[in-house]
Amino acid sequence: MQRPVVIDIGSKYIQGGFSGELQPRFRVEHNLCFARYNRVCLSELLQAVFVKHLLTKPKLHSVVVIEDIMSPRGLRNMLITVLLRDLQVSG
């Protein structure tokens, strides 16, 4: 397995890179409305993060997600579903 991917999901930006790097490789503004928990949009956004910004396949990496401690449980559950089922990242 290759180095884990670190993804920081904020209310306005998603940033991330590979573990051990000193700074994020990318920072992308998103317009997801977390109140609606749109699984399709989140799946497409994370797929683009891996393919376009990290130039890798999700299946090759485990993922460390950094999120706000106050983020809703529904969002957290949807994020886990998207990462494990849709993108098939290592658990």
Side-chain angles (χ1 to χ4, degrees):
M1 186 182 328
Q2 300 186 17
R3 291 188 298 167
V5 170
V6 179
I7 299 175
D8 180 1
I9 301 177
S11 60
K12 190 171 181 177
Y13 294 96
I14 292 181
Q15 61 184 4
F18 294 101
S19 67
E21 296 180 333
L22 297 177
Q23 60 188 19
R25 283 189 179 216
F26 69 91
R27 182 176 182 179
V28 178
E29 188 172 1
H30 66 80
N31 58 357
L32 289 176
C33 178
F34 290 137
R36 288 185 277 150
Y37 308 135
N38 190 333
R39 179 177 167 184
V40 173
C41 290
L42 182 60
S43 182
E44 290 173 358
L45 178 64
L46 291 175
Q47 182 71 29
V49 162
F50 278 94
V51 174
K52 183 178 176 183
H53 300 288
L54 296 175
L55 304 174
T56 189
K57 296 178 183 177
K59 293 180 183 181
L60 300 176
H61 301 273
S62 58
V63 176
V64 176
V65 177
I66 301 168
E67 61 179 344
D68 184 4
I69 194 167
M70 299 302 288
S71 65
R73 176 171 281 162
L75 173 62
R76 189 175 304 126
N77 291 339
M78 183 180 59
L79 182 60
I80 291 168
T81 300
V82 167
L83 288 171
L84 295 178
R85 290 188 187 162
D86 298 349
L87 300 181
Q88 300 176 349
V89 299
S90 301

